């Protein structure tokens, strides 16, 4: 019997747990799911004979280490800042670790120790980062094998609401961790375009986003994602003039979110007292108010927009123009906004989400310039079995299976960019209808 320990039973865990449980009888696995919320664990695991729930405060070192010691493989779907606790335990007790989160500076410091211990810590094994790396590297390796010289690489991915559930002025509903949605893009973005390094500060990231055409969906907006250039080395494309990774949204979302940034509502740096603060006073904290003007007019004149603007409809939809009291004690602007979007932009039970990913690669072969388009659209089933949960969880589940079957002998701190990983994982993902269509021009 092999034991798998999963930390975190949140939104992204559903499909991973389904996968582990359905494979458990044949693979002889036992799964422990650890979270602070027992009801949440049980809602994901049901009454499976192959699962043990473990209620745990992740900061309780003794309980956490006891679970790590007793397992064969650890998967972490905790919030990114908490992975480091689990990573240190895995290092101490000699356990392999899988997670969907980005490699961060703290884990980078342990890189040598992980290698010396002969362990595999596979990070960025989810959707974006994850499926994006695997599908991109498969294309890059295939082009290079045939003698193609790559000159431009652009990769786009977004968790969106499906057209049939797209029924609010934001054109967005939350299918993953709401805090991550609120803080997305806060470090700005850096990428390379035609040989020049472009840096975009957070304040301008959502302004006038460019658009891209997606077959069957039409126009989507995109904004550059974090530090694209950090991946040029990993992809072995250090010399190419254009390299960008970007996030996809419906255009209306970017316009509205740019407004929230301008109003300071995504700031996470200082706390304010909300017990007597109304939503309107909070939303207009930067606005010089004219008592003769309505709430809408005050905010519209600060933003330099019409009082009939779509943006004001969006603010109204979030309840930011009303006189209700927030009453959440001391909070940062970002945590108040998180509370608001969870309440107003949550998915209804029958809502479906959608993942869209596309790569554009320009290359030259035998004197001819070609542009390769590769895209994937994956639909969710409902608000629990989302496309987001599927695309984040299944790569982790498949990787766990490959490791426990000893089909992968990789060691060290890694991301999934090697054929030994991407070939079997992408192949099995096709069984779950996660597949890419390609076209050339």
């Amino acid at each position: 019997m092999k034991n798998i320990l999963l930390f975190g039973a949140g939104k992204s865990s559903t499909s991973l747990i389904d996968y582990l449980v359905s494979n458990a009888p044949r693979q002889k696995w036992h799964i422990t799911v650890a979270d602070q919320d027992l009801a949440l664990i049980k809602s994901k695991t049901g009454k499976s004979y192959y699962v043990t729930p473990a209620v745990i405060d992740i900061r309780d070192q003794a309980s956490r280490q006891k679970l790590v010691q007793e397992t064969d493989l650890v998967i972490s779907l905790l919030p990114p800042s908490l992975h480091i606790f689990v990573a240190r335990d895995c290092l101490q007790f000699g356990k392999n670790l899988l997670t969907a989160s980005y490699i961060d500076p703290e884990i980078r410091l342990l890189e040598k120790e992980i290698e010396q211990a002969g362990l595999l810590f596979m990070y960025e094994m989810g959707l974006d980062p994850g499926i994006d790396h695997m599908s991109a590297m498969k294309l890059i390796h295939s082009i290079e094998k045939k003698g193609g010289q790559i000159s431009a690489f652009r990769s786009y991915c977004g968790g969106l609401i499906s057209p049939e559930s797209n029924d609010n002025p934001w054109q967005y509903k939350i299918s993953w961790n709401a805090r991550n949605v609120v803080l997305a893009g806060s470090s700005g973005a850096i990428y390379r375009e035609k040989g020049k390094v472009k840096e975009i500060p957070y304040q301008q990231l959502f302004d006038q986003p460019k658009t891209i055409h997606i077959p069957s969906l039409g126009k989507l907006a995109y904004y550059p994602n974090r530090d694209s250039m950090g991946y040029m080395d990993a992809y072995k494309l250090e010399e190419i003039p254009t390299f960008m990774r970007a996030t996809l949204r419906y255009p209306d979302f970017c316009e509205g979110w740019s407004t929230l940034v301008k109003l300071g509502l995504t700031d996470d740096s200082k706390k304010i007292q909300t017990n007597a603060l109304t939503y309107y006073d909070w939303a207009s904290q930067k606005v010089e108010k004219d008592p003769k003007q309505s709430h809408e007019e005050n905010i519209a004149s600060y933003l330099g927009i019409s009082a009939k603007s779509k943006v004001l409809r969006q603010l109204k939809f979030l309840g930011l123009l009303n006189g209700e009291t927030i009453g959440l004690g001391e909070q940062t602007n970002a945590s108040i906004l998180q509370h608001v979007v969870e309440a107003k932009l949550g998915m209804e039970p029958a809502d479906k989400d959608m993942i869209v990913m596309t790569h554009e690669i320009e290359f030259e072969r035998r004197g001819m310039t070609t542009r390769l388009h590769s895209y994937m659209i994956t639909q969710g089933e409902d608000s629990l079995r989302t496309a987001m949960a599927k695309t984040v969880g299944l790569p982790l589940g498949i990787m766990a299976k490959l490791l426990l079957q000893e089909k992968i002998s990789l060691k060290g701190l890694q991301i999934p960019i090697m054929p030994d990983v991407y070939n079997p994982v992408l192949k099995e993902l096709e069984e779950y209808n996660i597949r890419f269509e390609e076209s050339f021009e």
Side-chain angles (χ1 to χ4, degrees):
M1 202 72 166
K2 294 276 190 188
N3 292 306
I4 299 172
L5 169 60
L6 169 62
F7 283 108
K11 280 187 166 71
S12 297
S13 70
T14 317
S15 297
L16 170 59
I17 292 170
D18 287 351
Y19 181 90
L20 297 177
V21 170
S22 67
N23 276 273
R26 201 167 54 254
Q27 301 294 338
K28 298 190 168 55
W29 291 343
H30 189 83
I31 303 121
T32 301
V33 180
D35 195 281
Q36 61 191 11
D37 184 340
L38 180 61
L40 185 62
I41 300 173
K42 287 187 167 172
S43 73
K44 302 288 171 85
T45 61
K47 292 182 177 159
S48 173
Y49 165 77
Y50 297 95
V51 180
T52 302
V55 178
I56 180 178
D57 172 357
I58 196 64
R59 292 175 194 278
D60 174 354
Q61 188 176 335
S63 314
R64 195 182 66 234
Q65 292 190 340
K66 184 173 186 295
L67 290 176
V68 172
Q69 272 178 285
E70 291 166 353
T71 198
D72 295 292
L73 174 67
V74 179
I75 306 175
S76 178
L77 278 178
L78 294 167
S81 61
L82 299 177
H83 292 311
I84 193 66
F85 296 113
V86 175
R88 289 190 187 120
D89 294 345
C90 289
L91 196 50
Q92 186 178 337
F93 299 111
K95 309 296 178 182
N96 292 326
L97 171 65
L98 307 178
T99 176
S101 289
Y102 284 99
I103 287 183
D104 59 40
E106 280 188 295
I107 193 70
R108 195 55 92 186
L109 294 174
L110 300 178
E111 191 166 6
K112 279 213 162 60
E113 289 175 65
I114 296 163
E115 207 165 313
Q116 284 161 358
L119 296 172
L120 173 62
F121 281 25
M122 181 62 84
Y123 269 61
E124 308 193 11
M125 190 69 210
L127 165 66
D128 171 13
I131 294 175
D132 55 344
H133 296 326
M134 292 186 279
S135 51
M137 289 312 295
K138 190 176 181 188
L139 296 171
I140 290 164
H141 286 156
S142 157
I143 290 166
E144 289 174 342
K145 215 177 193 171
K146 292 173 185 154
Q149 296 284 318
I150 296 172
S151 59
F153 172 87
R154 298 179 183 90
S155 180
Y156 311 83
C157 181
L160 304 162
I161 197 70
S162 241
E164 68 265 39
S165 304
N166 187 1
D167 56 11
N168 70 51
W170 283 88
Q171 298 199 307
Y172 189 75
K173 290 183 185 180
I174 290 172
S175 59
W176 56 304
N177 183 310
R179 181 167 173 79
N180 293 356
V181 173
V182 169
L183 297 179
S186 53
S187 52
I190 180 167
Y191 62 100
R192 191 188 281 174
E193 182 76 47
K194 294 180 179 162
K196 289 192 175 127
V197 174
K198 304 266 185 169
E199 284 191 65
I200 303 182
Y202 177 50
Q203 276 62 33
Q204 292 165 26
L205 196 59
F206 301 93
D207 287 358
Q208 298 153 343
K210 298 186 172 93
T211 58
I212 180 175
H213 181 83
I214 304 289
S216 83
L217 284 177
K219 268 186 191 171
L220 289 179
Y222 67 85
Y223 61 88
N225 192 357
R226 296 181 178 227
D227 177 7
S228 292
M229 291 172 66
Y231 288 97
M232 294 177 80
D233 193 25
Y235 286 18
K236 305 259 185 294
L237 296 174
E238 303 95 328
E239 305 303 321
I240 70 170
T242 296
F243 188 100
M244 180 183 69
R245 291 158 47 83
T247 299
L248 293 171
R249 292 284 181 261
Y250 288 113
D252 285 1
F253 173 86
C254 290
E255 201 180 332
W257 204 263
S258 174
T259 304
L260 297 181
V261 173
K262 283 192 185 93
L263 293 169
L265 306 185
T266 59
D267 178 60
D268 200 36
S269 59
K270 56 182 187 294
K271 291 194 169 180
I272 53 175
Q273 178 52 254
T274 70
N275 284 347
L277 188 69
T278 69
Y279 281 105
Y280 171 66
D281 285 334
W282 169 63
S284 60
Q285 57 195 267
K286 287 184 162 194
V287 177
E288 276 187 44
K289 300 177 190 75
D290 178 344
K292 295 193 194 91
Q293 291 190 322
S294 68
H295 290 177
E296 284 91 336
E297 287 165 339
N298 272 319
I299 286 193
S301 56
Y302 173 76
L303 295 169
I305 58 175
S306 144
K308 292 193 168 73
S309 157
K310 172 173 55 194
V311 165
L312 286 174
R313 274 209 317 281
Q314 291 175 313
L315 297 181
K316 216 174 211 170
F317 183 83
L318 293 182
L320 303 190
L321 301 181
N322 68 39
E324 277 178 41
T325 305
I326 299 172
L328 293 171
E330 279 210 336
Q331 300 285 344
T332 65
N333 283 334
S335 54
I336 299 166
L337 184 58
Q338 179 184 338
H339 169 79
V340 169
V341 296
E342 280 176 331
K344 303 291 185 178
L345 298 179
M347 288 176 70
E348 297 295 324
D351 278 340
K352 292 180 180 178
D353 72 327
M354 170 176 76
I355 298 294
V356 181
M357 183 180 288
T358 184
H359 306 298
E360 281 182 2
I361 304 178
E362 288 171 32
F363 63 95
E364 196 169 300
R365 182 167 166 257
R366 295 182 186 154
M368 184 150 62
T369 303
T370 302
R371 183 180 287 165
L372 161 63
H373 295 269
S374 172
Y375 76 95
M376 167 201 74
I377 299 174
T378 299
Q379 295 268 8
E381 294 164 39
D382 52 38
S383 63
L384 186 62
R385 284 177 172 73
T386 60
M388 182 67 79
K390 224 158 67 164
T391 49
V392 171
L394 288 172
L396 285 165
I398 297 166
M399 185 69 196
K401 183 169 76 175
L402 292 167
L403 263 180
L404 292 173
Q405 290 176 339
E406 296 179 2
K407 288 185 176 170
I408 286 180
S409 54
L410 208 54
K411 301 290 178 235
L413 177 61
Q414 304 285 355
I415 64 172
I417 51 175
M418 51 293 288
D420 288 3
V421 174
Y422 68 61
N423 281 327
V425 175
L426 291 173
K427 187 167 189 266
E428 189 168 338
L429 284 174
E430 291 195 355
E431 294 172 26
Y432 295 89
N433 226 6
I434 298 169
R435 59 167 59 85
F436 286 80
E437 306 286 333
E438 288 171 20
S439 65
F440 294 86
E441 58 177 277

